Amino acid sequence: NTLAYEPEDPDELSTQHSLLCLANRGFPSDWTLSWTVDGTSRTGTSSPGVMDKDGLYSWSSSLTLSTEEWSSTKEVTCQASHSSESPVTAALGTADCPE
């Protein structure tokens, strides 16, 4: 499970920051990706699971923060969870990311 910082649109860098959480090689198909920003739950936009050639699934979820939110945020966390499995979490420290 990886969390990657990726600008949504270069022309919009001055007003927002888009984060993309990618989870892959999972099973079964109904894992859920969720976000927290400095420990506060946030709602992202998730894609349904897609089956890869190896029979395992991949998912993604995006979260957009305003520049003001981004500048005051210390850590963003994405968690992949399923009722029958242990959750998988990836954290991103905003200090480690480019502006």
Side-chain angles (χ1 to χ4, degrees):
N1 199 34
T2 58
L3 183 63
Y5 171 76
E6 185 174 295
E8 196 166 80
D9 183 337
D11 295 334
E12 296 179 359
L13 281 175
S14 61
T15 59
Q16 67 183 26
H17 294 264
S18 182
L19 299 162
L20 181 65
C21 182
L22 303 173
N24 57 26
R25 299 188 56 77
F27 188 85
S29 64
D30 55 346
W31 283 70
T32 300
L33 298 179
S34 59
W35 295 90
T36 58
V37 176
D38 287 340
T40 301
S41 180
R42 293 291 296 267
T43 301
T45 303
S46 295
S47 68
V50 176
M51 184 184 284
D52 297 324
K53 291 179 182 177
D54 58 8
L56 299 175
Y57 291 84
S58 296
W59 306 263
S60 67
S61 181
S62 62
L63 179 70
T64 300
L65 301 178
S66 69
T67 295
E68 185 176 320
E69 287 178 300
W70 179 256
S71 63
S72 65
T73 296
K74 291 183 173 45
E75 186 177 77
V76 179
T77 302
C78 177
Q79 180 173 283
S81 56
H82 188 276
S83 59
S84 66
E85 303 287 343
S86 297
V88 179
T89 301
L92 176 71
T94 58
D96 300 328
C97 295
E99 287 298 321

